[in-house]
DNA sequence: TAGATTGTTAATCGATTAACAATC
DNA sequence: TAGATTGTTAATCGATTAACAATC
């Protein structure tokens, strides 16, 4: 089985907003957040200037990004907040709720299971799985933690398509393989390990230590420049 | 005070590897991780092929990335694992330990404070700060949690230059401003809020809900393509 | 030497920016 | 109409890829 490290997946997909560039996709959630903030403040109409300022991008970039989804503004007027919000939500596939399984209920997994952002933004946490017998059977975030050997069943029973991986790095690839075999097509991993997945599966990796190291790089550069 | 949303900061910085592209910088931690894995397995010599396979990039990209740091391989032979590892560590500014302060000792902050990756990879967690009186004074990860009004003092006393922000989004900008005023130059935030910082400060934002939404986008696209 | 593997160049590709015509 | 703001175009910029000469 020849598995690439993702990418690819460029199905033609005709019609409306067929091919949204990856860089644009990565910014859509931030636009959605800004739109929700404006709506919460009672804003009915907004502009690329206002949204861009909130998000921290240029107005030109925001307009270009939105243009990949369709033409939802009115020239000379701006964007209807509620309407644009729905369009962005739809583009992100949040029209119907996505079911998420979380594997690895340690410190971090525990925190993420309770993380306010998840249930509120289009996702339903439907199952928790852990290998530790002391954790299995306990209730976290209203769910009973399932044993690792039930992983495939749990995915099948709940219909989860997205997984959050908060296991130790040493078992991440194995767990990932089993999740994919069970039907998961999107994986958000916090384990510091490169995951190999088949082309139809999407992986997003968050590595706290890497993020800190990137910050350290810039700090070192500044220090070197300052002393020079 | 006219604050941009970061970027800029392109000091000339003469000499060795003066300007490493941002995309390359973002991959250096993964190269370092791969090198450490090879070293742990007893590897003495490695190649761009082996490292690239471990990281999940092409050998050409890895070689090009490393070439920005200097010329540390030997043609026809490969790379000395220990030597290259030290060079990458040095490039990332991990020669001396970076001091990190964590603000917001909730579920997520608690988990991150104990997170194995942090102390082991060039960072020392030197202080914890929280606004909740029930949390202040407790000991987490070997540190006594300090009250929010001591934030500036804590940064000054510990010499922390990097902050991890795990507060609610509503207070993130305020806390960030105070951290920056106290001398922090790098911020890793988990709060779902765009942070405005002066140009000399670096922000990395991790947003779990955004990551899930990006996965949802790709899933929706695949579903739409599959049904078409 | 022959085989292997780097470092670098040139070509391609994708993303960002700026400007402005279209249009309310 | 005059003023405002989008959607789109063209130019610029940066990142990736492929190929290969340099060199062990």
């Amino acid at each position: 089985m020849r598995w690439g490290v993702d990418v690819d997946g460029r199905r033609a997909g005709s019609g409306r907003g067929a091919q949204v560039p990856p860089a644009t996709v990565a910014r859509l959630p931030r636009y959605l957040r800004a739109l929700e903030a404006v709506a919460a403040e009672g804003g009915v109409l907004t502009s690329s200037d206002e949204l861009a300022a909130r998000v921290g991008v240029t107005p030109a970039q925001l307009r270009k990004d939105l243009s990949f989804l369709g033409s939802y503004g009115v020239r000379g007027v701006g964007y209807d907040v509620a309407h644009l919000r729905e369009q962005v939500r739809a583009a992100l596939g949040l029209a119907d709720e996505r079911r998420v399984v979380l594997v690895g209920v340690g410190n971090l997994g525990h925190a993420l299971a309770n993380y306010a952002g998840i249930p509120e933004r289009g996702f339903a946490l439907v199952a928790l799985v852990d290998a530790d017998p002391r954790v299995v059977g306990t209730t976290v975030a209203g769910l009973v933690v399932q044993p690792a050997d039930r992983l495939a069943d749990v995915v099948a029973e709940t219909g989860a398509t997205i997984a959050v991986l908060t296991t130790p790095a040493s078992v991440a690839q194995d767990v990932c393989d089993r999740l994919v075999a069970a039907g998961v097509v999107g994986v958000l991993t916090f384990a510091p390990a490169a995951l190999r997945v088949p082309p139809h599966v999407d992986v997003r990796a968050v590595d706290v230590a890497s993020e800190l190291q990137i910050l350290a790089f810039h700090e070192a550069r500044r220090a070197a420049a300052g002393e020079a």
Side-chain angles (χ1 to χ4, degrees), chain A:
Chain A
M1 222 173 285
R2 214 172 35 73
W3 284 0
V5 177
D6 167 57
V7 189
D8 179 58
R10 187 133 316 139
R11 324 293 164 90
S14 63
R16 177 46 25 88
Q19 5 65 310
V20 184
T24 295
V25 173
R27 281 185 294 264
L28 292 181
R30 293 156 67 195
Y31 297 158
L32 180 56
R33 203 162 68 197
L35 282 163
E36 283 167 350
V38 172
E41 293 168 19
V44 169
L45 205 63
T46 187
S47 65
S48 60
D49 268 28
E50 176 179 11
L51 285 177
R54 283 178 182 265
V55 172
V57 300
T58 65
Q61 179 160 74
L62 181 133
R63 290 201 301 276
K64 183 146 236 304
D65 283 339
L66 292 182
S67 77
F68 288 109
L69 307 185
S71 188
Y72 300 128
V74 180
R75 288 160 130 105
V77 177
Y79 300 94
D80 179 275
V81 174
H83 183 242
L84 183 58
R85 177 166 143 265
E86 275 322 295
Q87 296 303 327
V88 175
R89 277 188 63 85
L92 284 169
L94 303 175
D96 31 34
E97 205 175 50
R98 304 281 151 176
R99 289 182 289 275
V100 176
V101 55
L102 185 148
V103 187
V105 191
N107 263 326
L108 185 60
H110 202 290
L112 292 177
N114 285 303
Y115 201 47
I118 296 177
E120 288 167 17
R121 294 215 242 160
F123 299 92
L125 184 64
V126 293
L128 301 172
V129 176
D130 200 285
D132 186 338
R134 289 168 301 181
V135 174
V136 172
T138 62
T139 299
V140 173
L143 294 165
V144 177
V145 178
Q146 305 292 314
D149 59 20
R150 291 210 61 243
L151 188 141
D153 299 332
V154 160
V155 171
E157 287 162 13
T158 59
T161 50
I162 291 179
V164 175
L165 208 60
T166 41
T167 64
S170 52
V171 300
Q173 183 65 62
D174 180 57
V175 170
C176 180
D177 290 346
R178 290 160 59 204
L179 285 165
V180 167
V184 163
V185 294
V187 177
L188 173 56
T189 177
F190 289 80
L195 294 181
R196 239 43 61 118
V197 295
H200 74 280
V201 176
D202 224 35
V203 173
R204 307 276 309 171
V206 171
D207 182 353
V208 175
S210 287
E211 296 296 333
L212 290 175
Q213 288 175 351
I214 293 166
L215 290 175
F217 173 90
H218 290 293
E219 189 191 339
R221 269 308 134 95
R222 263 189 303 272
E227 286 158 13

